[in-house]
Amino acid sequence: MRYQYLDARLRQAFDDAGLDRGQRALLQGVLRALDPDAHIGEHVAGLNSAFLAVTRAQTALDSHATEDQPRWNLLRRIITTSLACMDAAAPAYDHGGAKELAEARQTLLDVDAAIAADGQKLDPQVTATAAKKLDPRALEAAVKEWITPLWNGVELPLRARMIAEVAVVVAVHGRDGRQLRADLLRWLKKPDSGLGDVFWPPPRRHVVALVVRGARVLRHLDVLLPQARQEPLHRNRLPKDDFLKDAVDGSSVLVRLPVSAADVHTAALLGRRILGEVLDQYAAGERLTVLDIAPLWQVSGPTGRVSRGTEHQRTVGNAYPLTAYWPAELRSAMRVANLARQVSANTAPMAGAGLAWSALEATGLDPSKIAWLAKACALQMLRQHLISLHVVTTNHDKQLRRPLDAHVPTTGVKHHLKSVDAWLEVLIRHNRPNEQLKAAQEAVTALAANEGGLVQDLVELWRMRLADSTALAGWLAEQEDTVAAVLEWLYVTRNLAFHAGRFATPADELTAHAGQAVADLTLEFLGNWRTVERLRGEPETSAVEIYRRLAQRKDQLEARLKRAGSVRRLSVEDISGPDEKWWSRKPS
């Protein structure tokens, strides 16, 4: 099953433990945010977070002070977007950390004032002092204390915002979603410690074993990695049932190295990253040899328990292209986006994030147009969130969903929506709905109640947003601000990786994931736009012009929502397509 945070085993564990709706929503919300299949609006890398904003701002300030990267004008944009994210997250910090957040905010405002006054003559001592003042760890400590109020009950929509911040802190601590799910299942059966100990266990020593293919001996490895040990591998000398047999291909060497990590899967990832960086030395020394790390891994935990696995790689029955023809302007972007994904998968997140920016740059994007793309992504995310809500709401009970299916038809084995607007119509409040619509709305309520937890929260949240057009406008604005912050930070990461030679920054794996997600989202709506134009025999609109038009559309929609008082005419079916149909729906 794709959505493991909704599977039957986890639901049964919740039932057995007697968890209420808010407690289920907390656990499911964190697990969803750590799910690699979650889209940018759900995955931890794309959630609005004050903690992450302060972490990035501190990194930028420190880097500016020592390396003059990012430059003063880009640094100011980082501060602006960080402040927007911090302000949006501020209500959650009423449960702890409000003072620390206010101090961080004032520090960034002081730097912003200094940049406004001095421009390119900004004294590096100002940014160095500000970097020392910022303390993301204080915010992290405050967020960890939210577990108690969340477990005891916090009302929506604040609960959702707090869960998102908790998920970010869990991810940055170094927790793998699959491992966390297994740990939570054990904890629910025997809660002999606090939930915080499950979310944030102390890092412990693990020994990671990986196979390097392309060499039989890595000379001087004991100097480069003093604690690492190696053993030449010969395929014909391995026992038939040895787990390494499929990994050994020609000259290979087994490397064991100690890693401090919070769980087994994170240890495997960190070990792969450390060894990958060491292989840079050997690749430079042996320029005609290709060295790579096999996907197989083995980890010996602190208790001596041995775990084995391979790097996760999703497969599909049928793979579909972005478009059924070659869109000339997008070919470079698709090539670089694919390379970015492969590089990040090989534990080089900084380079992957830099390539994700390059993929967007290949479409014609430059830093001056980041605001356009952020607005365009906000529109696409509205459509994406609504579709995702339908998927998770109709995940289990086929009997309950029949009245909904009658009003909102789907197609194919995956039940793809034939009309997103038909689903939107069900979520919107009506004074006098017809019988079919009323039955569909009641079915949604029943499905949400049956699922409980996160799904029930999501249905209620979207009904709240769609009942208040001003609230929906605010949600769109927050998505724009969040994507803008990601894009600005991607550009900084690209400069640090390609210009300053940095290969690691705090939360760089989240940056890489967010960069790939934004690139994928962008190619999605660009590909759809081009497909529609080709079917009509119309000339292709440039990607930059699409960004401009969608940015204008987003501003128009937000203004319309603020004054309309209702979303009854909102249409999301083709909201990021070439036609101006975003306010054309005829209410039932």
Side-chain angles (χ1 to χ4, degrees), residues 321-326 531 534:
L322 179 69
T323 61
Y325 71 101
W326 285 108
T531 299
R534 185 174 178 86

Side-chain angles (χ1 to χ4, degrees), residues 566-586:
S566 169
V567 300
R568 295 289 301 282
R569 301 216 34 193
L570 171 66
S571 173
V572 297
E573 191 68 41
D574 303 302
I575 199 166
S576 55
D579 296 323
E580 298 288 343
K581 295 180 178 179
W582 49 273
W583 204 254
S584 61
R585 190 169 56 87
K586 295 180 180 179

Side-chain angles (χ1 to χ4, degrees), residues 189-206:
K189 290 181 179 179
K190 189 179 180 181
D192 51 1
S193 62
L195 180 57
D197 294 333
V198 184
F199 280 163
W200 300 288
R204 295 192 293 173
R205 187 179 187 273
H206 297 73

